[in-house]
Coordinates of all heavy atoms in Angstrom, one line a residue:
W128 N -121.9 -18.6 249.4 CA -121.0 -17.6 250.0 C -121.5 -17.0 251.3 O -120.7 -16.5 252.1 CB -120.7 -16.6 248.9 CG -119.5 -15.8 249.3 CD1 -119.4 -14.5 249.8 CD2 -118.1 -16.2 249.2 NE1 -118.1 -14.1 250.0 CE2 -117.3 -15.1 249.7 CE3 -117.5 -17.4 248.9 CZ2 -115.9 -15.2 249.8 CZ3 -116.1 -17.5 248.9 CH2 -115.4 -16.4 249.4
H129 N -122.8 -17.1 251.5 CA -123.4 -16.5 252.7 C -122.8 -17.3 254.0 O -122.7 -16.7 255.0 CB -124.9 -16.6 252.7 CG -125.4 -18.1 252.7 ND1 -125.4 -18.8 251.6 CD2 -126.0 -18.8 253.7 CE1 -126.0 -20.0 251.9 NE2 -126.3 -20.0 253.1
T130 N -122.4 -18.5 253.8 CA -121.8 -19.3 254.9 C -120.4 -18.8 255.2 O -120.0 -18.9 256.4 CB -121.8 -20.8 254.6 OG1 -120.9 -21.0 253.5 CG2 -123.1 -21.3 254.3
A131 N -119.7 -18.2 254.3 CA -118.4 -17.7 254.5 C -118.4 -16.4 255.4 O -117.4 -16.2 256.1 CB -117.7 -17.3 253.2
L132 N -119.5 -15.7 255.4 CA -119.5 -14.4 256.2 C -119.4 -14.7 257.7 O -119.0 -13.7 258.4 CB -120.8 -13.7 255.9 CG -120.9 -13.1 254.5 CD1 -122.3 -12.7 254.1 CD2 -120.0 -11.8 254.4
S133 N -119.7 -15.8 258.1 CA -119.6 -16.1 259.6 C -118.3 -16.8 259.9 O -118.0 -17.2 261.1 CB -120.7 -17.0 260.0 OG -120.7 -18.3 259.3
N134 N -117.4 -16.9 258.9 CA -116.1 -17.5 259.2 C -115.0 -16.6 258.5 O -114.5 -16.9 257.4 CB -116.0 -18.9 258.6 CG -114.8 -19.7 259.1 OD1 -113.8 -19.2 259.4 ND2 -114.9 -21.0 259.1
P135 N -114.6 -15.5 259.2 CA -113.7 -14.5 258.5 C -112.4 -15.1 258.0 O -112.0 -14.7 256.9 CB -113.5 -13.5 259.6 CG -114.7 -13.6 260.5 CD -115.1 -15.1 260.5
W136 N -111.8 -16.0 258.7 CA -110.5 -16.5 258.2 C -110.7 -17.3 256.9 O -109.9 -17.2 256.0 CB -109.8 -17.4 259.3 CG -108.5 -17.9 258.8 CD1 -107.3 -17.3 258.8 CD2 -108.3 -19.3 258.3 NE1 -106.3 -18.1 258.3 CE2 -106.9 -19.3 258.0 CE3 -109.1 -20.4 258.1 CZ2 -106.3 -20.5 257.4 CZ3 -108.5 -21.5 257.6 CH2 -107.2 -21.6 257.3
R137 N -111.7 -18.2 256.9 CA -111.9 -19.0 255.7 C -112.4 -18.1 254.6 O -112.2 -18.4 253.4 CB -113.0 -20.1 256.0 CG -112.5 -21.1 257.0 CD -111.2 -21.9 256.6 NE -111.3 -22.6 255.4 CZ -111.7 -23.8 255.2 NH1 -112.2 -24.5 256.2 NH2 -111.7 -24.4 254.0
Y138 N -113.2 -17.1 254.9 CA -113.6 -16.1 253.9 C -112.5 -15.6 253.1 O -112.4 -15.6 251.9 CB -114.4 -14.9 254.6 CG -115.0 -13.9 253.7 CD1 -116.4 -13.9 253.5 CD2 -114.3 -13.0 253.0 CE1 -117.0 -13.0 252.7 CE2 -114.9 -12.0 252.2 CZ -116.2 -12.0 252.0 OH -116.8 -11.1 251.2
A139 N -111.4 -15.1 253.8 CA -110.2 -14.5 253.2 C -109.5 -15.6 252.4 O -109.0 -15.4 251.3 CB -109.3 -13.9 254.2
E140 N -109.4 -16.8 252.9 CA -108.7 -17.9 252.2 C -109.4 -18.3 251.0 O -108.8 -18.5 249.9 CB -108.6 -19.1 253.2 CG -107.9 -20.3 252.6 CD -107.9 -21.5 253.5 OE1 -109.0 -21.7 254.1 OE2 -106.9 -22.2 253.5
W141 N -110.8 -18.5 251.1 CA -111.5 -18.9 249.9 C -111.5 -17.8 248.8 O -111.4 -18.1 247.6 CB -113.0 -19.2 250.3 CG -113.2 -20.5 251.1 CD1 -112.4 -21.6 251.0 CD2 -114.1 -20.8 252.1 NE1 -112.8 -22.6 251.8 CE2 -113.9 -22.1 252.5 CE3 -115.1 -20.0 252.7 CZ2 -114.7 -22.7 253.5 CZ3 -115.9 -20.6 253.7 CH2 -115.7 -21.9 254.1
L142 N -111.6 -16.6 249.3 CA -111.6 -15.5 248.3 C -110.3 -15.5 247.6 O -110.3 -15.3 246.3 CB -111.8 -14.2 249.1 CG -112.0 -12.9 248.2 CD1 -113.3 -13.0 247.4 CD2 -111.9 -11.7 249.0
K143 N -109.2 -15.6 248.3 CA -107.9 -15.6 247.6 C -107.8 -16.8 246.6 O -107.3 -16.6 245.5 CB -106.8 -15.8 248.6 CG -105.4 -15.7 248.1 CD -104.3 -15.8 249.2 CE -102.9 -15.7 248.6 NZ -101.9 -15.8 249.6
N144 N -108.3 -18.0 247.0 CA -108.2 -19.1 246.0 C -109.0 -18.8 244.8 O -108.6 -19.1 243.7 CB -108.8 -20.4 246.7 CG -107.8 -20.9 247.7 OD1 -106.6 -20.6 247.7 ND2 -108.4 -21.7 248.7
I145 N -110.2 -18.2 244.9 CA -111.0 -17.9 243.7 C -110.4 -16.9 242.9 O -110.3 -17.0 241.7 CB -112.4 -17.5 244.2 CG1 -113.2 -18.6 244.9 CG2 -113.2 -17.0 243.0 CD1 -114.4 -18.2 245.5
R146 N -109.9 -15.8 243.6 CA -109.3 -14.7 242.8 C -108.1 -15.1 242.0 O -107.9 -14.6 240.9 CB -108.9 -13.6 243.8 CG -108.5 -12.3 243.2 CD -108.2 -11.2 244.3 NE -107.1 -11.6 245.1 CZ -107.1 -11.6 246.5 NH1 -108.2 -11.3 247.1 NH2 -106.0 -11.9 247.1
E147 N -107.3 -15.9 242.5 CA -106.0 -16.3 241.8 C -106.3 -17.3 240.7 O -105.4 -17.5 239.9 CB -105.0 -16.9 242.9 CG -104.5 -15.9 243.8 CD -103.5 -16.5 244.8 OE1 -103.4 -17.7 244.9 OE2 -102.9 -15.7 245.5
K148 N -107.5 -17.9 240.6 CA -107.7 -18.9 239.6 C -108.6 -18.4 238.5 O -108.9 -19.1 237.5 CB -108.4 -20.1 240.2 CG -107.5 -20.8 241.2 CD -108.3 -21.9 241.9 CE -107.5 -22.6 243.0 NZ -108.4 -23.6 243.8
T149 N -109.1 -17.1 238.6 CA -110.1 -16.7 237.6 C -109.6 -15.4 236.9 O -108.8 -14.6 237.5 CB -111.4 -16.3 238.3 OG1 -111.2 -15.4 239.4 CG2 -112.1 -17.6 238.8
P150 N -110.0 -15.2 235.7 CA -109.6 -14.0 235.0 C -110.1 -12.7 235.7 O -111.0 -12.7 236.5 CB -110.3 -14.1 233.6 CG -110.5 -15.6 233.5 CD -110.8 -16.1 234.8
A151 N -109.4 -11.6 235.4 CA -109.7 -10.4 236.1 C -111.0 -9.7 235.6 O -111.7 -9.0 236.3 CB -108.5 -9.4 236.0
D152 N -111.3 -9.9 234.3 CA -112.4 -9.2 233.7 C -113.7 -10.1 233.7 O -114.2 -10.5 232.7 CB -112.1 -8.7 232.3 CG -111.5 -9.9 231.4 OD1 -111.1 -10.9 232.0 OD2 -111.5 -9.7 230.2
M153 N -114.1 -10.5 234.9 CA -115.3 -11.3 235.1 C -116.2 -10.6 236.1 O -115.9 -9.6 236.7 CB -114.9 -12.6 235.6 CG -114.3 -13.6 234.7 SD -113.8 -15.1 235.5 CE -115.2 -15.4 236.6
L154 N -117.5 -11.1 236.1 CA -118.4 -10.6 237.1 C -118.8 -11.7 238.1 O -119.2 -12.8 237.6 CB -119.7 -10.1 236.4 CG -120.8 -9.4 237.3 CD1 -120.2 -8.2 238.0 CD2 -122.0 -9.0 236.4
W155 N -118.6 -11.5 239.4 CA -118.8 -12.6 240.4 C -120.2 -12.4 240.9 O -120.6 -11.3 241.3 CB -117.8 -12.5 241.5 CG -116.4 -12.9 241.1 CD1 -115.9 -13.2 239.9 CD2 -115.3 -12.9 242.0 NE1 -114.6 -13.5 240.0 CE2 -114.2 -13.4 241.3 CE3 -115.1 -12.7 243.4 CZ2 -112.9 -13.5 241.8 CZ3 -113.9 -12.9 244.0 CH2 -112.8 -13.3 243.2
Y156 N -120.9 -13.6 241.0 CA -122.3 -13.6 241.5 C -122.3 -14.4 242.7 O -121.9 -15.6 242.8 CB -123.2 -14.2 240.4 CG -124.6 -14.7 240.8 CD1 -125.3 -13.9 241.7 CD2 -125.1 -15.8 240.3 CE1 -126.6 -14.3 242.1 CE2 -126.4 -16.2 240.7 CZ -127.1 -15.5 241.6 OH -128.4 -15.9 241.9
A157 N -122.9 -13.9 243.8 CA -123.1 -14.6 245.1 C -124.6 -14.8 245.3 O -125.3 -13.9 245.8 CB -122.5 -13.7 246.2
P158 N -125.1 -16.0 245.0 CA -126.5 -16.3 245.1 C -127.0 -16.4 246.6 O -126.2 -16.9 247.4 CB -126.7 -17.6 244.4 CG -125.4 -18.2 244.4 CD -124.4 -17.1 244.4
G159 N -128.2 -15.9 246.9 CA -128.7 -16.0 248.2 C -127.9 -15.4 249.3 O -128.0 -15.9 250.5
T160 N -127.2 -14.4 249.1 CA -126.3 -13.9 250.1 C -126.5 -12.4 250.4 O -126.3 -12.0 251.6 CB -124.8 -14.0 249.5 OG1 -124.5 -15.4 249.2 CG2 -123.8 -13.5 250.5
A161 N -127.0 -11.6 249.5 CA -127.0 -10.1 249.7 C -128.0 -9.6 250.6 O -129.2 -9.9 250.4 CB -127.1 -9.5 248.3
L162 N -127.6 -8.8 251.6 CA -128.5 -8.1 252.5 C -128.0 -6.7 252.5 O -126.8 -6.4 252.2 CB -128.5 -8.7 253.9 CG -129.0 -10.1 254.1 CD1 -128.6 -10.6 255.5 CD2 -130.5 -10.2 253.8
P163 N -128.9 -5.7 252.9 CA -128.4 -4.3 253.0 C -127.2 -4.2 254.0 O -126.4 -3.3 253.8 CB -129.6 -3.6 253.5 CG -130.8 -4.4 253.0 CD -130.3 -5.8 253.1
S164 N -127.1 -5.1 254.9 CA -126.1 -5.0 256.0 C -124.8 -5.7 255.6 O -123.8 -5.5 256.3 CB -126.6 -5.7 257.3 OG -126.9 -7.1 257.0
N165 N -124.7 -6.4 254.5 CA -123.5 -7.0 254.1 C -123.0 -6.7 252.7 O -121.9 -7.2 252.2 CB -123.5 -8.6 254.3 CG -124.5 -9.3 253.3 OD1 -124.8 -8.8 252.3 ND2 -125.0 -10.4 253.8
I166 N -123.8 -6.0 251.9 CA -123.5 -5.7 250.5 C -122.2 -5.0 250.4 O -121.4 -5.2 249.4 CB -124.6 -5.0 249.8 CG1 -124.5 -5.1 248.3 CG2 -124.6 -3.5 250.2 CD1 -124.9 -6.5 247.9
H167 N -121.8 -4.1 251.4 CA -120.6 -3.4 251.3 C -119.4 -4.3 251.3 O -118.4 -4.1 250.6 CB -120.5 -2.4 252.5 CG -120.5 -3.0 253.8 ND1 -121.7 -3.4 254.5 CD2 -119.5 -3.4 254.7 CE1 -121.4 -4.0 255.6 NE2 -120.1 -3.9 255.8
I168 N -119.4 -5.3 252.2 CA -118.2 -6.2 252.3 C -118.2 -7.2 251.1 O -117.1 -7.6 250.7 CB -118.3 -7.0 253.7 CG1 -116.9 -7.5 254.0 CG2 -119.3 -8.1 253.6 CD1 -116.0 -6.5 254.5
L169 N -119.3 -7.5 250.6 CA -119.3 -8.4 249.4 C -118.7 -7.7 248.2 O -117.9 -8.2 247.4 CB -120.8 -8.9 249.1 CG -121.4 -9.8 250.1 CD1 -122.9 -10.0 249.8 CD2 -120.7 -11.1 250.2
C170 N -119.2 -6.5 248.0 CA -118.6 -5.7 246.8 C -117.1 -5.4 247.0 O -116.3 -5.4 246.1 CB -119.4 -4.4 246.6 SG -121.1 -4.7 246.0
Y171 N -116.8 -5.1 248.3 CA -115.4 -4.8 248.6 C -114.5 -6.0 248.3 O -113.3 -5.9 247.9 CB -115.2 -4.4 250.1 CG -113.8 -4.1 250.5 CD1 -113.3 -2.9 250.2 CD2 -113.1 -5.0 251.3 CE1 -112.0 -2.5 250.6 CE2 -111.8 -4.7 251.8 CZ -111.3 -3.4 251.4 OH -110.0 -3.1 251.8

Side-chain angles (χ1 to χ4, degrees):
W128 196 254
H129 64 284
T130 63
L132 288 162
S133 59
N134 192 334
W136 180 78
R137 297 303 300 274
Y138 185 105
E140 180 187 38
W141 288 329
L142 185 69
K143 182 178 181 180
N144 287 341
I145 294 170
R146 187 175 67 231
E147 291 181 348
K148 297 173 184 176
T149 55
D152 53 343
M153 290 177 36
L154 185 59
W155 289 4
Y156 166 40
T160 302
L162 296 169
S164 59
N165 67 24
I166 201 71
H167 62 278
I168 200 73
L169 294 172
C170 291
Y171 182 75

